[in-house]
Amino acid sequence: MTRAELLKEVLQGVLLIVGEYRGSHAEMAGYVDKKYGTAIQYVRAIHIVECSWHGHLDRVIITEKFPETFATAEQAAATFNYVRGRKYVFYIEAVKRERGQTLARMAGWGAEPIEGNEDGDGTAAGGPAPP
Amino acid sequence: MTKSKVAFLFASQTLGKQRLYLWTFTFKELLSVKETRKRWNHLLTLLIRAWPNLQGLRVFELHEEHGLHVHVVTNQFIDVNRARELATQAGWGRIHVTRMPSEHSGYLAKYLSKERPECLKRWRLWAGFGNGWEWTKVKDVVRETLFSRIYRACKEWQGWSGRKGFFERMDLVRRMMILTIENGWTVGRGPGGLPYSAGWYPGEETD
């Protein structure tokens, strides 16, 4: 995604988070019924993204739920093609702030890298990183 | 998904082993939620008295325009005309009933996904009723996630017991979870696969 495309999305009011990708974890999450031993399981991923929040750097926890066609965490992990330190646009369907921690849920559109920010440290075209 | 909703899904699975019927109870007039709850308790008492083997689950739904509705899944067919009489006696208006395939038993969980209105704070949005079956309760649900696994490791490390300092615990576990993901640690372990108790503390880490 180019900066112009990103600006267009922002001006259209699309809910998104721009941040530096820090890592991901895919897991089989679920619930077990202690009474009857039944379980509900689903595959999800947690992405950690560093972005600016009210003037300081903060980690945002973004969760991504996978469809039922994903049976294992490994299948989900195989879809991660993010580069650590690079800036991405994460499309979001929900966001909340809980006790100083920003939590978000990724929308079906996923995430896209921002062109011109390949190194993620602000030295790429576009100028230095904010202080 | 909240634990309450999960407990409801488990309970509906248990009930779904039987033949199910879906009921909706509404009013002609718009009533306060407190009055609706009172009338539901009255109606349920009458229903259980008339059909002692009746088992089911009820869900409250605050409709945007029509006040509080009660949706009920029951395990047996009950005479609708008799049920209408009892509903009228308890001050209810319309009743709608339909057969429900057991695989749809969790259908009512959709009403538990809605954001809880202020007036229903601390209410039980769903509940089971009837003798002879035990529905899953929130305390019976165990969550298995990265967060819960790290929480258990932190609990062992810090020797937590009771509920003291709950929010501080949550903050610590969250920080540990972020560090685990960022540094690719083994879940529930610190740097180099060492246990948290090995003398390393969050905050000392630099990246």
Side-chain angles (χ1 to χ4, degrees):
Chain A
M1 176 183 281
T2 63
R3 284 160 179 269
E5 285 166 343
L6 171 61
L7 181 63
K8 198 176 160 194
E9 300 271 275
V10 171
L11 292 175
Q12 277 178 347
V14 177
L15 192 59
L16 46 84
I17 287 177
V18 176
E20 191 181 301
Y21 175 76
R22 307 292 300 165
S24 294
H25 176 87
E27 62 172 347
M28 282 297 287
Y31 300 87
V32 179
D33 180 350
K34 277 197 289 182
K35 195 169 268 170
Y36 295 102
T38 45
I40 294 172
Q41 280 198 312
Y42 56 93
V43 180
R44 73 164 189 178
I46 300 170
H47 307 289
I48 305 294
V49 175
E50 190 180 76
C51 63
S52 177
W53 184 272
H54 285 277
H56 62 89
L57 282 178
D58 197 5
R59 302 285 200 275
V60 178
I61 298 172
I62 301 175
T63 51
E64 180 180 7
K65 202 169 169 186
F66 288 85
E68 285 173 10
T69 47
F70 286 78
T72 63
E74 288 72 29
Q75 278 181 301
T79 65
F80 303 158
N81 51 6
Y82 309 108
V83 178
R84 193 182 158 121
R86 189 167 178 185
K87 274 203 169 159
Y88 288 85
V89 177
F90 288 85
Y91 289 97
I92 297 300
E93 63 178 21
V95 64
K96 70 173 176 179
R97 186 91 173 149
E98 197 178 276
R99 286 187 55 81
Q101 176 67 58
T102 310
L103 306 159
R105 206 165 58 224
M106 205 198 270
W109 295 344
E112 279 190 44
I114 302 173
E115 287 169 24
N117 278 286
E118 281 79 3
D119 57 358
D121 63 1
T123 54
Chain B
M1 196 153 39
T2 62
K3 268 187 162 184
S4 171
K5 186 176 167 182
V6 173
F8 176 83
L9 287 170
F10 282 133
S12 57
Q13 275 178 13
T14 309
L15 193 70
K17 289 168 188 158
Q18 306 174 69
R19 182 175 263 215
L20 299 181
Y21 296 88
L22 173 65
W23 299 76
T24 303
F25 296 91
T26 52
F27 293 102
K28 280 183 201 148
E29 71 271 37
L30 193 64
L31 291 176
S32 71
V33 288
K34 217 169 175 179
E35 180 61 27
T36 311
R37 184 168 63 170
K38 212 167 128 188
R39 291 197 194 183
W40 165 248
N41 288 340
H42 186 193
L43 176 60
L44 184 60
T45 308
L46 296 176
L47 291 172
I48 296 284
R49 211 175 278 165
W51 292 280
N53 296 325
L54 189 68
Q55 299 171 343
L57 292 161
R58 73 104 182 105
V59 176
F60 285 140
E61 183 211 358
L62 187 62
H63 195 271
E64 282 175 14
E65 291 161 14
H66 303 114
L68 197 65
H69 291 185
V70 179
H71 300 281
V72 179
V73 183
T74 59
N75 68 329
Q76 58 172 284
F77 182 76
I78 57 178
D79 180 3
V80 183
N81 293 326
R82 179 78 184 114
R84 276 214 176 94
E85 281 173 26
L86 296 175
T88 311
Q89 192 184 328
W92 288 79
R94 278 173 58 91
I95 291 183
H96 182 259
V97 62
T98 177
R99 271 285 321 265
M100 181 185 232
S102 55
E103 62 269 24
H104 294 172
S105 59
Y107 165 79
L108 291 182
K110 75 171 190 173
Y111 298 118
L112 304 173
S113 305
K114 287 185 176 181
E115 200 173 320
R116 184 186 285 255
E118 192 69 34
C119 61
L120 295 182
K121 285 267 159 71
R122 288 192 289 273
W123 275 45
R124 266 193 202 147
L125 287 184
W126 70 271
F129 59 84
N131 296 319
W133 81 296
E134 279 197 42
W135 55 91
T136 305
K137 298 182 177 70
V138 172
K139 67 177 171 60
D140 301 319
V141 175
V142 181
R143 197 156 186 236
E144 193 58 44
T145 59
L146 174 66
F147 189 90
S148 64
R149 288 163 70 194
I150 292 175
Y151 181 91
R152 285 196 286 272
C154 288
K155 188 180 176 185
E156 193 181 313
W157 167 37
Q158 299 283 321
W160 290 335
S161 61
R163 296 185 68 82
K164 197 179 163 202
F166 175 78
F167 292 114
E168 288 73 23
R169 290 181 193 183
M170 293 292 114
D171 289 344
L172 175 64
V173 177
R174 205 168 265 161
R175 269 189 292 153
M176 297 302 283
M177 186 179 81
I178 289 172
L179 286 169
T180 302
I181 294 172
E182 284 196 1
N183 298 301
W185 294 341
T186 306
V187 177
R189 298 253 159 185
L194 294 169
Y196 293 152
S197 55
W200 170 89
Y201 298 97
E204 292 174 3
E205 183 76 3
T206 52
D207 53 357

